[in-house]
Amino acid sequence: MILSPSDAAIAQAAQALRDGQLVGLPTETVYGLAANAGDDAAVAKIFVAKGRPADHPLIVHVASRDQVPLFAAQVPEFAQRLMDAFWPGPLTLILPRQSGVATASAAGQDSIGLRCPSHSVAQALLQACLPLGVLGVSAPSANRFGRVSPTSAAHVQSELGPDLLILDGGDCDVGIESTIIDCTRGEPVLLRPGHITRVQIEVACGRAVLDKDTPQAVLGQPAPRASGTLESHYAPRAKVRLMSASDIAQKLQALGPHTNNLGLWSAERPASEQGMGAGVLWRQQATTAEQAAHDLFGVLRDLDARGVSQIWVQLPPDTPEWEGVRDRLQRAAA
Ligand code: TXA
Ligand code: MG
């Protein structure tokens, strides 16, 4: 059931979390499937509902920095700076975990992913949870494992069914999941690109951001697992193919005007003399990375729902601000 986020609905959702139930949670990035991080049995329900493998850890969402010491054993100075710069907001930090806390969320890691979301409904819910003894909320994206992340309450319901209590926070502003920085290896390591770019991270913490495949020998610490970083993820049913604008024009022309069941997300609508016909469903790709990220999962979902067999996507530029969108596209196409 989808509830508009009145005070009563927030209180009901907080109580549901307190009682070990799951809640659909709007955030500024994507919707999450939330459970009390302090209740391992409740967190186990998330893995079942998503069909998520048991060894893929979940992010714990906190109301503010005050809750960080409850979950993290230690916070390096560069991580403090990142919290100063970007919290509340779409940034997740992987930190050494306090032993014995959020065990189910950590899924076997001795680290914990922490994020303080900025969405007003997420903030209201996290605040309402504190007096009930719910000090953190574990929430992966509220989609079935491997599928496209939800950016509206209706998406969540279509993924997880009508019984789940979902707070309706509107369409997500950012549209792709948080940037994840591993802070357990001595230097900041980018595990998942997002709206906050590696350049912004470097400026805020005054250090170079390393790539996740940086050899262990350089960092000294082994790399953690991250399911959102699997090669194939965020996949719609339709086959996604990434192409340049000129490839799209050429291939459309080769297929001819009677092409059917094709979805196309590109900056410019191809002309009919370039093979564009009625059987091609075109959606305009925004020219800014922010807007394209905002639209991305909704476009994939919408074209999928219309039953296209392929979605052709114009590959955006290889620049830092597009890294998050390119990453999701590459994995949707893998
Ligand atoms: O924007 C977001 O981060 C959204 C919203 C709901 O907050 N959440 C999200 O969760 O994207 P999920 O589970 O779909 O992705 C979480 C990612 C996964 O790739 C997971 O493996 C990684 O974070 N992760 C969580 N804890 C970790 C840890 N201790 N070590 C390494 N990776 C971790
Ligand atoms: Mg996910």
Side-chain angles (χ1 to χ4, degrees):
M1 111 216 52
I2 298 178
L3 296 184
S4 141
S6 62
D7 290 353
I10 302 266
Q12 184 185 341
Q15 192 59 49
L17 291 171
R18 171 70 192 82
D19 293 343
Q21 287 156 26
L22 304 185
V23 167
L25 168 76
T27 84
E28 68 278 21
T29 57
V30 301
Y31 276 70
L33 179 61
N36 177 2
D39 180 345
D40 283 352
V43 171
K45 292 181 189 170
I46 295 178
F47 287 88
V48 174
K50 278 189 60 109
R52 182 175 175 112
D55 63 350
H56 290 287
L58 310 180
I59 294 169
V60 175
H61 298 67
V62 291
S64 73
R65 284 176 69 157
D66 295 348
Q67 287 76 44
V68 170
L70 304 175
F71 296 98
Q74 182 229 332
V75 182
E77 202 248 1
F78 73 83
Q80 303 273 6
R81 292 203 199 185
L82 293 177
M83 290 181 202
D84 289 340
F86 301 115
W87 277 15
L91 175 69
T92 296
L93 301 176
I94 309 296
L95 295 161
R97 184 167 55 100
Q98 287 279 8
S99 61
V101 304
T103 313
S105 296
Q109 307 285 323
D110 52 15
S111 57
I112 191 76
L114 294 180
R115 163 160 132 74
C116 177
S118 62
H119 193 290
S120 60
V121 176
Q123 271 293 327
L125 180 62
L126 290 166
Q127 292 290 349
C129 280
L130 292 175
L132 304 180
V134 177
L135 306 176
V137 164
S138 305
S141 51
N143 51 281
R144 308 261 319 150
F145 183 70
R147 304 204 59 84
V148 177
S149 297
T151 53
S152 74
H155 293 168
V156 179
Q157 192 161 68
S158 75
E159 287 282 327
L160 298 168
D163 294 339
L164 178 69
L165 192 168
I166 304 163
L167 291 174
D168 189 351
D171 284 352
C172 300
D173 277 347
V174 173
I176 58 174
E177 306 81 355
S178 59
T179 305
I180 303 183
I181 301 291
D182 184 3
C183 305
T184 67
R185 303 175 77 191
E187 299 293 336
V189 179
L190 181 64
L191 295 187
R192 182 173 72 184
H195 174 74
I196 295 172
T197 66
R198 70 165 71 221
V199 176
Q200 289 176 288
I201 299 280
E202 289 180 341
V203 169
C205 74
R207 299 205 189 192
V209 168
L210 303 177
D211 286 312
K212 63 174 181 289
D213 47 13
T214 302
Q216 189 173 331
V218 176
L219 279 158
Q221 293 291 322
R225 290 179 290 271
S227 69
T229 63
L230 291 179
E231 201 187 344
S232 169
H233 214 77
Y234 313 111
R237 265 169 279 272
K239 188 171 165 42
V240 176
R241 296 179 62 188
L242 307 180
M243 301 179 219
S244 66
S246 59
D247 274 359
I248 288 172
Q250 237 169 44
K251 291 203 163 64
L252 268 184
Q253 202 148 29
L255 285 179
H258 302 297
T259 304
N260 251 321
N261 295 330
L262 179 64
L264 178 60
W265 192 42
S266 61
E268 298 208 13
R269 189 180 204 281
S272 52
E273 56 277 17
Q274 289 173 315
M276 181 73 185
V280 182
L281 285 177
W282 176 70
R283 297 287 180 272
Q284 183 161 32
Q285 190 183 93
T287 51
T288 66
E290 286 76 15
Q291 186 63 42
H294 174 275
D295 299 343
L296 168 64
F297 290 141
V299 167
L300 293 181
R301 231 172 236 283
D302 171 51
L303 291 173
D304 224 16
R306 285 162 203 279
V308 301
S309 56
Q310 291 197 19
I311 302 173
W312 293 3
V313 177
Q314 183 180 338
L315 191 60
D318 190 4
T319 54
E321 67 273 21
W322 284 93
E323 193 176 2
V325 171
R326 285 171 60 96
D327 167 77
R328 302 312 186 278
L329 285 173
Q330 263 142 6
R331 280 183 287 123

